[in-house]
Amino acid sequence: MSWDASVLITNHQAGVWRYLRSIGCDHALADDLTQETFVAVLRKPFVQVSPAATSSYLRRVAYHLLVTFRRRQKKVVITSEMDQLDLQWMRWAGTDGDGAELTEALEDCFRRLTTRAQLSLKMRFGENATRELIAKELGITEHGAKNLMQRAKMQLKQCLDGKLNRD
Amino acid sequence: MIDRDRDSSKEQPTFEPAEILLSNLLNDVVCEQSPPELTNRIVSQFNRVTACESASATTSKSASMQDLSGGLFSLAEYDQAVAFAESEIARGYGWTVPLAAENAKGRSQLAEKKLSVWIQRGTMLVAVLAACVLAVLLIPPGFETKPTIEPRINDIADSRLDQSQRVDQTVPPQVASQPDSVAVITAAPDSIEKPFSNERQLAIVPDNRVDNAIKPPNSPMVVANNHGPSSPTKQMSDNDIIGIIDDQLKLLWERVGVTPQPSIKTELWLERSSLAIVGRLPTAAEKEAFRSNKNGSRNVEYVDKLLASQEFSKRWSEIVAGHYLGKGVEGIRSQPGPQLSFVKWIADSLSNKVFVGDIEREMISGPNSAATSESPLLRTDPAAFWLADILERSEVDHRESSEHLSKKPLEQKNVGLVAAARQTMRIAGSASMVCSQCHDGESRKGDFDDYLAATQSIRGQDSFWKVPASLSGISLDRRVAGVRPLKVVKSSEYFFEDAEGRLKLSVAGPPIQINGTTARSTLADWFRSSVEPRRAMVELVWNEVFKQPLVPVFGLTEEEGNNDRADLRYFLASQMQTGERDLGALLRWMVLSSAFRLDGQKMDSPWYLKATSEQIAEAQKQTRLFASLFSSESSIRESKWNSINEIANWVKANRSYELNNQALAQGAISPTSQSSLSQTSKPNYSEAQVRFLVSLSKPYRKVSDVANRLAASQMSWPMLLEHAYLVSDSRFPTQGERDESEKLFQAVEQDRAKALVMIINSKLGSN
């Protein structure tokens, strides 16, 4: 493997991995498909036109490998929804972005949430806690916990839109 | 991964990509999960696959390849994924997906419109019904009838993607080719339209947003000689272009949920179009001629007549000259002779319907002597005045900024080209150009002699240009804002080295040979041949006609239609370029559009005091999205004065502005009590003057009330600022005004009401 290929992998693996995670792959699958994406690309002669072009190219290869993978698993894939996820990724991360800026922005937005909102989301997404458990922890009703999380997510979305669309 | 907060048992969840993406991202953020280091794993797998591949080549056992390598995919699947990605990106994958799919639908809107007109009129209804019955009886089963009314063809869409391509773009071809394992549900075109569910007749498929920068790595490199977009846009008829303006805005309103204002009366449109084209209200004779014209296309005839007049070329030559020179020349009579010649040269060009690209090429490719001219005022060639003017100003700038620069002749510094580049970039896309020696944040001492050896950055919200240094053949790289405004990137990553070690562009752009003798002429040719510079002209004209920029430099949110507006601007620019149309054609498209006929809310002080917060927010939204148009003529009509001329005459006669403005504002002086009215001749004021004079009758005493009312709301400061300008000047603030207002806001310690009072008063000219 040439030096350029190593550089390519080093520079772009995080972006591909984040992209795959964001469109619904779990950790293991994201690892596997990131690996396979680079293998697929590097099998052919590769000329780097620009990082932006390469980034887009790698994402599309990863996308098609994911579709192929799920098709082989006999899983239903609605490609239009995947396209919309892909488009949303580009809106937030940019076409040439590796997602680092997006993640940083989300972290920053997350820190701006209230402590209760942060806690609820941490329990939900970090600990996979049920809504009932979250409600009990926060001393609110289950319905209140649901509303709290939905509001928090809406705030995060608006914050991301503001940060990434108004730069 | 699914959205965990949805209760799927109750109802079918709607697909919200942003929400799902956010949920997926949150998993990693709350767990502080960062991407793993996979380099070794990838390398080893790659080596394994390569080894298996070569082994299979010798033993012809390709079937076991996948098993041997332990990978997830076979070689054929690898190749397939790569091929699909390349073909998608080659077609400009990115922004075309939803809009292209949208084009697949909504072709019948015009047919429906026309049909509904027939039905409304009640004519031929019986005949249609009879024909339908007859058709049903006569047409054999399975026969597909053609629409009776041919819809307009979306030339833009067709030039990029035909029907099959649209499907291919969203549905990977491998799915369709393997129907035996129908694990992938290919979305029908209708289902792709979720974000834009409403029908529209025509849609814009932009092809040179960021996707211009996206090229498959294996495709031929885009070299500097490749100017402009790769796929030429078809020329469309004026009616289609106007239809697309309407449809694009309509799409935006529907998506954002804004209800446009009703259309204005014809007479008001007459006034509005006159103000836009020739800068004055229509004369009584013009109105009468218009009324007596019973032709169905009298609007078009009226606009064409105005565009053919000298008034049009005079008014717009001043606007365009001011745009090129970067300073206002409108209404200034005591201009230097060469400058007047320059304005007149542009006026002649407009009269002769000269293509804007030709005007700009002429200006940029001025003779080399212009670069060494002593003064632009000595220039006799009108076209070269522009270059000489900016050169002189650049020289002054450099002398002021760095003394040692002035010690060497300008030719050595090649300041001329830098200045020309800077000014042309400003023209091309409201992009500013700064020297990265200081503006990149890294102050590099020494080496200052080689001014051009330092990297030049041309920055703007809308575009980003970067000029690498120390190259014999230098190129400007340009990235157009796509989904979101771009951030300035300080590296030269948009360039790549070719096989011969030369730095080249990753996208097409204007080539500039710094050391070459044809530098300016090459740049001039690019201005003539590329669609990009036309965008600035579209922006200029749109701003003048609709009183706010189409794509502001300060950026818009997705909700404010950043993408839709950018698409529309690019579309108009491309049509202008393709048809080599003059400025008058551009103006004609805008003035004849339906958006230009929309009524405007009178957002004056009394309105602000009465309106609820929701009404204020809605009005701002409507205005921002062109669903409600500024209406200076309605202000004139509803003024307590009988006519604007009376106010103008009175002000002109009394001259003492400051004193009498207050008296006017407080209503102490009525127009009928002015004896001096008859002493003055009939004035002929520009629109700006009319606006100012009308503003004199506004109730100043309510300024503080309005400011307090606005300040008490929950709106953010930028939003408050927009309202302050709406109420005081019937427009949105410019970027410069926003910056200044921000300073003022900080200076008054963020006292919102105080700052608003000061801003509104500064616009009204009184306290």
Side-chain angles (χ1 to χ4, degrees), chain B residues 77 93 151 214 288 371 377 386 407 419 461 468 505 527 572 662 739 751-752 767:
Chain B
E77 285 169 332
Y93 175 80
I214 303 172
E288 188 52 38
L377 301 183
W386 173 79
K407 291 176 184 173
Q461 183 275 331
L505 285 175
F527 259 78
L572 292 174
Q662 285 189 356
D739 295 342
D751 185 335
R752 291 149 64 101
N767 56 5

Side-chain angles (χ1 to χ4, degrees), chain A residues 13 21-22 32 35-36 43 45 47 49 51 60 64 71-72 75 83 86 91 95 124 128 153 165, chain B residues 3-4 24 28 38-39 41 72 77-79 88 93 95 170 178 183 210 217-218 483 485 493 496:
Chain A
Q13 60 168 299
R21 284 283 296 139
S22 67
D32 288 346
Q35 166 196 300
E36 296 296 285
R43 282 184 59 251
V47 178
V49 175
R60 291 313 292 171
H64 287 299
R71 176 167 56 83
R72 194 193 290 157
K75 282 188 178 177
D83 280 332
D86 185 60
R91 284 192 178 122
T95 51
R124 190 65 159 174
N128 210 13
K153 283 202 287 184
N165 287 334
Chain B
D3 182 7
R4 306 178 191 200
N24 293 339
D28 289 341
L38 297 169
T39 306
R41 184 177 156 176
L72 287 175
E77 285 169 332
Y78 284 141
D79 292 341
E88 281 172 348
Y93 175 80
W95 329 116
T170 50
Q178 298 183 19
V210 178
N218 290 330
V483 168
E493 63 180 351
F496 64 95

